[in-house]
Amino acid sequence: MGSATGESKLESPLLSPATASGGGHGEASGQLESILSDESLPWTRRMGAATVVEMRLLVRLAAPAVLVYMINYLMSMSTQIFSGHLGTLELAAASLGNTGIQLGMGSAVETLCGQAYGAHKYDMLGIYLQRSTVLLMATGIPLAVLYAFSRPILVLLGESPEIAAAAAVFVYGLIPQIFAYAANFPIQKFMQAQSIMAPSAYISAATLAVHLVLSYLVVYKFGLGLLGASLMLSVSWWVIVVAQFVYIVTSRRCRLTWTGFSWQAFSGLPSFFKLSLASAVMLCLETWYFQILVLIAGLLKDPELALASLSVCMTISGWVFMISVGFNAAASVRVSNELGAGNPKSAAFSVVVVTVLSFILSVLASVVILLCRDYISYIFTEGEDVSQAVSQLTPLLALTLILNGIQPVLSGVAVGCGWQAFVAYVNVGCYYIVGVPLGCLLGFYFDLGAAGIWSGMIGGTLMQTLILVWVTFRTNWNKEVEEAQKRLNKWEDKSPLLLD
């Protein structure tokens, strides 16, 4: 990959793409490690100087990441709002329709790309991107079959036939979205590992503007209802995927990391699948947890009201949660980059800074939600009974937001370190052995309804958060650097590109 003419620094393999394109991520990262290692400086001065450097790196990563995730979630949220204004039944149906299967297997590419980038093994990022996409597309096929049979599945789970029928119509339009997710997740992680965030934010913002206009026309003017709303959501996701891929192929910033299509994408798939499976279990168990809350609420005495009020709360929670997801991505990139570069102190310090910052923002968001508790449901539906139910659930929503300010960030740290398998076990224990049974006990046996179900599940989240805090606190970061190097040596494929 060396430069034939010597005229362009971009072609030097000793320079990262970010540095070559004008960024100083690698230099700032090295500067952070040297500051933290300088014993001649007083502790307070070291922490102050390190915080300034880390905040500069973090804001550059987290700000556009938060923007991307919030805009992308707004697309789903706006679809639910359009559906909700068709009626309470439609709002409940769209809520169940969004209780879909998320493609968690892409998390493996997040770990590998981040650590490979930190270790300057740039050519492997494109291979990891392609391998992950192949796996996720294959995984999407059985998921599409499940979506196609969503109506009998929902009825089998105990949902009312009316809600199940309406939800199935919504879900049919989401089938193309499965494969858009399969392509989008690896692309996003490929770009995030290189600290390339702004282009995704611009693409998502432009797509959202078009999505809002077309969704309004399709749902209300053309009368396509729930099916039209979900189909427009799928189309918008494919627009984002295509636009981001065009950027990767044409941008000089990705010149070292995207070297063309390769048959290597199909090699080593069983081993890659094994690592990806742990990621899938970790993220799916996490994603499904509060979606199960919505499904269980459909079994309550007044399922339509319970689903409508919970869907409003879950949608708000999900939107604010995107702030934490943005910090999750930033934490994963920072930690994996620093471990790949052999900077244990920088990795540990990044964890502290990103967690504290995310927690502060989540507390502020929960305060705003509590102040607006009596009015916030009218964004989604005009029903006064739904508004009262949402107002009663708002304290639980606020508590969930605060916990979500910590837990997703620590999950991002886990992904950056490659701890997916361990976190999967923690999720099973805390969420499904403690949280769901406790929620069902409070909701049905003690007749506390939706509030009882949610309270029990918050207990599971609290337990999981405390475990992750304890494990992160006790981490030996020097050992994690060694593990990252072993992982990269194992996954590096030195065979030449076969397809350009």
Side-chain angles (χ1 to χ4, degrees):
M1 287 188 186
S3 172
T5 63
E7 292 175 2
S8 174
K9 288 185 180 181
L10 181 63
E11 297 182 1
S12 170
L14 301 177
L15 292 173
S16 75
T19 305
S21 61
H25 181 273
E27 291 177 10
S29 176
Q31 181 189 7
L32 178 61
E33 187 73 13
S34 64
I35 291 171
L36 292 169
S37 302
D38 189 356
E39 300 289 343
S40 65
L41 289 174
W43 184 86
T44 51
R45 284 190 61 187
R46 258 188 294 156
M47 291 302 102
T51 301
V52 171
V53 175
E54 177 61 30
M55 284 296 291
R56 190 166 66 242
L57 288 168
L58 186 60
V59 169
R60 241 175 58 193
L61 277 171
V66 168
L67 190 59
V68 168
Y69 285 113
M70 292 188 80
I71 290 171
N72 289 347
Y73 190 82
L74 267 175
M75 284 204 303
S76 297
M77 187 174 170
S78 65
T79 298
Q80 203 158 341
I81 291 172
F82 284 129
S83 302
H85 283 284
L86 292 171
T88 304
L89 173 64
E90 286 79 2
L91 177 60
S95 175
L96 275 178
N98 272 323
T99 309
I101 299 171
Q102 302 297 316
L103 296 170
M105 294 182 73
S107 177
V109 79
E110 189 170 0
T111 302
L112 293 170
C113 278
Q115 293 183 357
Y117 187 79
H120 302 279
K121 298 181 178 181
Y122 303 126
D123 57 320
M124 289 308 299
L125 271 72
I127 304 299
Y128 295 147
L129 164 63
Q130 293 171 63
R131 280 181 186 161
S132 184
T133 304
V134 169
L135 271 179
L136 291 182
M137 285 292 183
T139 308
I141 295 171
L143 298 188
V145 174
L146 282 177
Y147 272 41
F149 290 96
S150 57
R151 181 175 179 176
I153 291 172
L154 288 171
V155 171
L156 189 65
L157 290 172
E159 302 299 335
S160 71
E162 294 80 11
I163 292 177
V169 171
F170 188 84
V171 164
Y172 296 152
L174 294 180
I175 290 176
Q177 188 189 43
I178 294 174
F179 299 99
Y181 276 158
N184 182 69
F185 198 98
I187 286 173
Q188 276 198 337
K189 299 311 173 184
F190 170 86
M191 295 173 73
Q192 285 173 7
Q194 304 170 69
S195 303
I196 301 174
M197 313 292 278
S200 293
Y202 297 140
I203 290 167
S204 295
T207 306
L208 174 64
V210 176
H211 173 77
L212 291 174
V213 174
L214 293 181
S215 292
Y216 175 81
L217 293 174
V218 166
V219 174
Y220 299 123
K221 298 302 180 183
F222 301 153
L224 294 180
L226 284 173
L227 181 62
S230 57
L231 276 174
M232 271 311 309
L233 188 59
S234 294
V235 169
S236 296
W237 270 102
W238 271 110
V239 169
I240 290 174
V241 168
V242 172
Q244 287 183 134
F245 184 69
V246 169
Y247 176 85
I248 289 172
V249 173
T250 59
S251 172
R252 291 179 64 85
R253 294 182 71 183
C254 300
R255 188 171 177 181
L256 297 181
T257 52
W258 177 261
T259 53
F261 290 104
S262 169
W263 289 115
Q264 290 181 40
F266 298 94
S267 67
L269 283 177
S271 299
F272 200 83
F273 176 80
K274 188 177 179 181
L275 178 64
S276 298
L277 191 60
S279 306
V281 172
M282 184 194 86
L283 288 180
C284 286
L285 290 177
E286 211 164 286
T287 304
W288 291 341
Y289 186 50
F290 279 97
Q291 294 180 341
I292 285 173
L293 167 60
V294 178
L295 283 171
I296 295 174
L299 307 177
L300 293 171
K301 295 174 184 176
D302 188 356
E304 196 171 309
L305 178 61
L307 279 172
S309 58
L310 274 174
S311 69
V312 169
C313 289
M314 288 297 101
T315 304
I316 294 167
S317 173
W319 191 58
V320 177
F321 184 68
M322 291 303 106
I323 297 174
S324 299
V325 171
F327 280 102
N328 167 294
S332 176
V333 171
R334 290 289 302 119
V335 170
S336 59
N337 281 179
E338 296 295 356
L339 292 179
N343 298 329
K345 292 181 180 178
S346 296
F349 190 74
S350 296
V351 171
V352 174
V353 174
V354 70
T355 304
V356 170
L357 187 56
S358 178
F359 176 71
I360 291 171
L361 290 175
S362 66
V363 169
L364 292 174
S366 65
V367 170
V368 172
I369 293 296
L370 283 171
L371 292 174
C372 301
R373 61 188 296 179
D374 294 326
Y375 315 103
I376 203 158
S377 71
Y378 291 109
I379 299 171
F380 301 87
T381 183
E382 288 89 358
E384 287 190 22
D385 51 347
V386 176
S387 175
Q388 291 174 1
V390 169
S391 181
Q392 291 171 1
L393 292 173
T394 304
L396 293 175
L397 174 59
L399 182 56
T400 300
L401 295 182
I402 291 173
L403 286 175
N404 284 347
I406 304 172
Q407 182 269 330
V409 175
L410 296 181
S411 291
V413 173
V415 170
C417 295
W419 299 341
Q420 287 95 325
F422 167 74
V423 177
Y425 289 121
V426 173
N427 287 355
V428 170
C430 296
Y431 289 168
Y432 298 95
I433 296 177
V434 176
V436 173
L438 182 60
C440 291
L441 184 68
L442 293 174
F444 294 98
Y445 184 79
F446 290 100
D447 202 26
L448 295 177
I453 297 170
W454 198 349
S455 298
M457 297 179 82
I458 285 175
T461 305
L462 177 62
M463 179 181 290
Q464 189 237 24
T465 303
L466 292 174
I467 291 173
L468 288 180
V469 168
W470 176 246
V471 169
T472 305
F473 178 74
R474 290 174 56 85
T475 297
N476 182 332
W477 292 101
N478 289 309
K479 184 179 177 182
E480 290 302 323
V481 168
E482 294 173 8
E483 290 297 320
Q485 192 58 52
K486 289 178 186 176
R487 188 179 294 112
L488 288 171
N489 290 337
K490 174 186 175 182
W491 286 101
E492 186 173 13
D493 192 338
K494 297 181 183 295
S495 57
L497 295 176
L498 301 177
L499 176 65
D500 229 356

